Amino acid sequence: MPEAIINHVSAGREEFASLGSVLIIDDEAAIRESLQTLLDLEGYEVETAGDGGEGLAHLADRPFDLVLLDFALPERNGIEVLRDIRERDSELPVIMITAYGTVENAVNAMQAGATNFIQKPWDNQKLLADVRTAVGRRRAEEEVIQLKRALKQRYNFEHIIGKSEAMLRIFDLVAQVAPSRSTVLLQGESGTGKELIAKAIHMNSPRKDRAFVPVNTGSTPPDLLESTLFGHVKGAFTSAIASKKGLFEVADRGTLFLDEIGTMNLETQAKILRVLQDRKFMHLGGVNQIQVDVRIIAATNVDLRQQVKEAKFREDLFYRLNVITIDLPPLRQRKNDIPLLAEHFIAKFAEQNDRPALRLTPEALRPLMDYDWPGNVRELENVIERAVVLATGPNLTPDLLPDQLVGRGSQFAIMDHPPDASLFEIIEDCERRIISDMLEKCNWNQTEAADRFRIPLSTLNQKIKRLSVEIKKNQKRE
Ligand SMILES: Nc1ncnc2c1ncn2[C@@H]1O[C@H](COP(=O)(O)OP(=O)(O)OP(=O)(O)O)[C@@H](O)[C@H]1O
Ligand SMILES: [Mg+2]
């Protein structure tokens, strides 16, 4: 069983937290301050709000492990705020605080979904014990959810679809490199399946029961990235209220997935290089060397060689990463994977939405095959999900596909034409494009195109000549 699949979302969240994050909602500044100090000193990350609205805004902003909620708030009382919180998050622990611990208040609060109830003036030790219990439970629940998710998805080969030559070669390569500790560099356009392959390498390696730790090196600000990767000691910077492990440690004996590495800044690149060289690093602000056994998989959708040429990427790091490179081809270059992927996603979303799998009609498959897929497999996945959700009958028909796949008619808008074009010229232009599109669909077979237009072949020929329709390839002798 995988120990944990750590998501970089939660990594960001744990940035300042040691024990957990707590939101205090209380209208009295003195109460807020004393609670904040108490929890701060204990090692919690604390934020405060003076009323329900402000508190809910905080909750919308970022995740918390616990809310301490005053019972008697101005405007909307604590119970009402609790109901709002419950609407957003049915599991978030909420401890209610009141000056008047009547039985009635306690019953109301518990019925509205409070986790616990504390009376003012509180006993610090008792309050801390309650906070510890509630946060601990929240953390354990989250871990179970993550584990379940990881197990359910068991990123083994069976979840990766492909029968094209290119993908078969990649599967071979993945099986070959997975057992080793070699660094792997995955290159490919957005949505080609880099992360999926990275997980497959991990799950087919001896490290599979340890953590797979993705970290988005591109979108994380440099300072935050370094403390996320290397950790920090208490006091390393102003907000470092407690020491924190870095993801290199979290990934010890597991795999660290450095996503979007092409956009990492040069300074961080130098530090990463050092870890790759001696598998040792130091916490920010720390003095001790920490030894780790981490397998690195990196991914990029920009051309790293080009980045090296432009001095945006360190050459030495490039060679360190470039031990084994796997190039994921764009979907348009492996179109025979499309039907398989489409069926796979139909089944996936049918199950997710609890409805029978749609039948992919040949009429709908045609535009799927014709389209260029700039967003690659992810775009195909989204298109199929949309179709499954919109479908009312048993078939996946072309009307369930988005405009960019089937809405060729919209290309003929008047906007496309010069403002002084006459109606006659616009119609001719449209006719030219319609004929050209049909010919392309029929693989430039004019007989088939004439049949589908239900006009004689000679008429089509005349039109092609008169309108100077460009004939591209496979032109049949007719
Ligand atoms: N061969 C495949 N078989 C099944 N699903 C796939 C395949 N390739 C990609 N997918 C699915 O497509 C989506 C995008 O894949 P993934 O996130 O791995 O792409 P990526 O290359 O990391 O993209 P980006 O550069 O945008 O991060 C995911 O939901 C993934 O499961
Ligand atoms: Mg990705």
Side-chain angles (χ1 to χ4, degrees):
M1 197 205 280
E3 185 178 85
I5 295 222
I6 313 285
N7 199 311
H8 65 259
V9 174
S10 66
R13 166 192 161 181
E14 282 177 8
E15 171 52 17
F16 306 114
S18 47
L19 294 178
S21 51
V22 180
L23 174 65
I24 298 165
I25 309 178
D26 197 307
D27 57 327
E28 282 180 62
I31 301 257
R32 285 199 302 272
E33 272 163 30
S34 66
L35 279 174
Q36 178 160 28
T37 311
L38 177 69
L39 295 171
D40 251 343
L41 286 173
E42 194 67 12
Y44 291 94
E45 190 203 351
V46 184
E47 286 188 33
T48 60
D51 59 45
E54 199 189 329
L56 290 167
H58 276 295
L59 286 169
D61 226 8
R62 51 155 297 180
F64 285 91
D65 293 306
L66 171 68
V67 178
L68 291 180
L69 177 60
D70 186 18
F71 205 98
L73 288 170
E75 290 167 28
R76 289 158 64 255
N77 71 36
I79 296 281
E80 286 172 296
V81 176
L82 174 60
R83 288 209 181 95
D84 284 349
I85 294 175
R86 280 286 162 266
E87 256 179 45
R88 289 152 192 243
D89 186 336
S90 58
E91 309 295 337
L92 177 62
V94 178
I95 297 180
M96 300 285 291
I97 303 177
T98 180
Y100 313 103
T102 64
V103 174
E104 198 193 349
N105 280 353
V107 169
N108 283 346
M110 296 315 264
Q111 276 178 347
T115 312
N116 209 342
F117 199 81
I118 288 176
Q119 219 176 310
K120 288 181 203 168
W122 60 81
D123 171 79
N124 279 353
Q125 291 315 314
K126 161 96 175 60
L127 185 137
L128 286 174
D130 284 353
V131 167
R132 230 182 343 264
T133 309
V135 170
R137 209 191 69 199
R138 170 73 163 184
R139 291 262 157 128
E141 278 167 359
E142 282 188 344
E143 203 174 314
V144 171
I145 291 169
Q146 287 207 349
L147 280 174
K148 272 194 185 154
R149 211 178 283 156
L151 276 177
K152 198 169 154 200
Q153 296 175 354
R154 284 304 293 207
Y155 302 104
N156 269 320
F157 273 67
E158 61 257 41
H159 289 291
I160 309 178
I161 308 298
K163 61 166 188 175
S164 57
E165 276 297 308
M167 285 311 283
L168 294 179
R169 269 202 305 278
I170 286 170
F171 296 161
D172 281 347
L173 202 53
V174 168
Q176 249 177 304
V177 304
S180 74
R181 204 186 72 170
S182 305
T183 301
V184 178
L185 176 64
L186 297 165
Q187 299 191 131
E189 287 178 16
S190 181
T192 47
K194 296 183 293 294
E195 183 152 355
L196 194 65
I197 294 289
K199 283 175 184 157
I201 293 173
H202 174 77
M203 289 312 282
N204 288 279
S205 79
R207 296 166 178 263
K208 69 175 194 302
D209 293 329
R210 309 292 299 188
F212 175 85
V213 183
V215 47
N216 193 329
T217 55
S219 65
T220 314
D223 288 351
L224 183 61
L225 179 61
E226 290 194 9
S227 77
T228 302
L229 286 173
F230 306 115
H232 57 73
V233 297
K234 190 171 170 176
F237 41 88
T238 330
S239 49
I241 56 165
S243 60
K244 181 184 156 252
K245 276 188 177 182
L247 293 184
F248 268 103
E249 276 162 292
V250 177
D252 193 21
R253 294 196 283 146
T255 305
L256 186 64
F257 177 52
L258 300 174
D259 204 1
E260 290 185 39
I261 192 145
T263 45
M264 188 193 278
N265 82 350
L266 286 162
E267 216 174 298
T268 316
Q269 287 175 29
K271 294 199 173 163
I272 298 267
L273 178 69
R274 234 168 290 139
V275 191
L276 288 190
Q277 274 163 350
D278 18 330
R279 309 267 158 191
K280 279 188 200 145
F281 69 97
M282 283 194 278
H283 288 150
L284 297 193
V287 286
N288 298 323
Q289 293 271 5
I290 299 155
Q291 177 98 38
V292 281
D293 165 20
V294 171
R295 186 202 199 145
I296 304 285
I297 302 181
T300 174
N301 56 16
V302 295
D303 183 355
L304 276 195
R305 270 179 206 283
Q306 188 57 35
Q307 297 283 98
V308 170
K309 268 189 205 144
E310 293 172 15
K312 289 182 185 151
F313 202 84
R314 291 181 68 107
E315 193 170 11
D316 42 10
L317 179 58
F318 172 69
Y319 286 115
R320 274 275 164 188
L321 293 173
N322 198 26
V323 181
I324 294 154
T325 302
I326 300 180
D327 281 305
L328 285 160
L331 189 55
R332 63 185 166 279
Q333 285 173 18
R334 45 179 164 118
K335 287 203 161 173
N336 53 346
D337 282 344
I338 291 174
L340 221 63
L341 282 165
E343 294 291 358
H344 167 69
F345 292 132
I346 287 174
K348 174 176 162 182
F349 292 113
E351 195 192 317
Q352 264 182 28
N353 293 283
D354 209 14
R355 46 170 75 185
L358 295 179
R359 191 182 75 89
L360 181 61
T361 60
E363 296 75 34
L365 182 58
R366 189 186 278 267
L368 294 182
M369 296 297 281
D370 285 349
Y371 185 60
D372 237 18
W373 299 108
N376 294 294
V377 185
R378 181 179 292 112
E379 189 181 8
L380 174 62
E381 186 172 6
N382 294 343
V383 163
I384 299 289
E385 178 173 12
R386 176 180 181 274
V388 168
V389 171
L390 293 179
T392 47
N395 294 324
L396 199 166
T397 43
D399 57 300
L400 296 170
L401 299 175
D403 283 353
Q404 72 266 30
L405 270 82
V406 283
R408 282 161 185 264
S410 61
Q411 292 170 6
F412 302 144
I414 295 170
M415 315 259 283
D416 286 0
H417 301 275
D420 58 347
S422 69
L423 177 63
F424 178 71
E425 283 166 333
I426 294 172
I427 291 173
E428 271 206 330
D429 191 36
C430 289
E431 198 177 6
R432 184 182 301 113
R433 291 206 229 171
I434 289 169
I435 291 173
S436 177
D437 274 358
M438 179 61 91
L439 282 165
E440 194 184 347
K441 267 204 175 113
C442 300
N443 209 13
W444 307 96
N445 179 330
Q446 293 179 20
T447 311
E448 193 186 330
D451 275 355
R452 289 179 66 171
F453 278 138
R454 281 185 275 139
I455 56 171
L457 179 61
S458 55
T459 310
L460 180 64
N461 272 327
Q462 279 165 18
K463 283 181 182 292
I464 289 173
K465 272 193 203 118
R466 180 170 58 80
L467 299 165
S468 315
V469 178
E470 200 186 333
I471 303 294
K472 293 207 175 110
K473 52 186 171 177
N474 294 351
Q475 191 181 0
K476 293 264 159 75
R477 278 166 283 115
E478 280 149 341

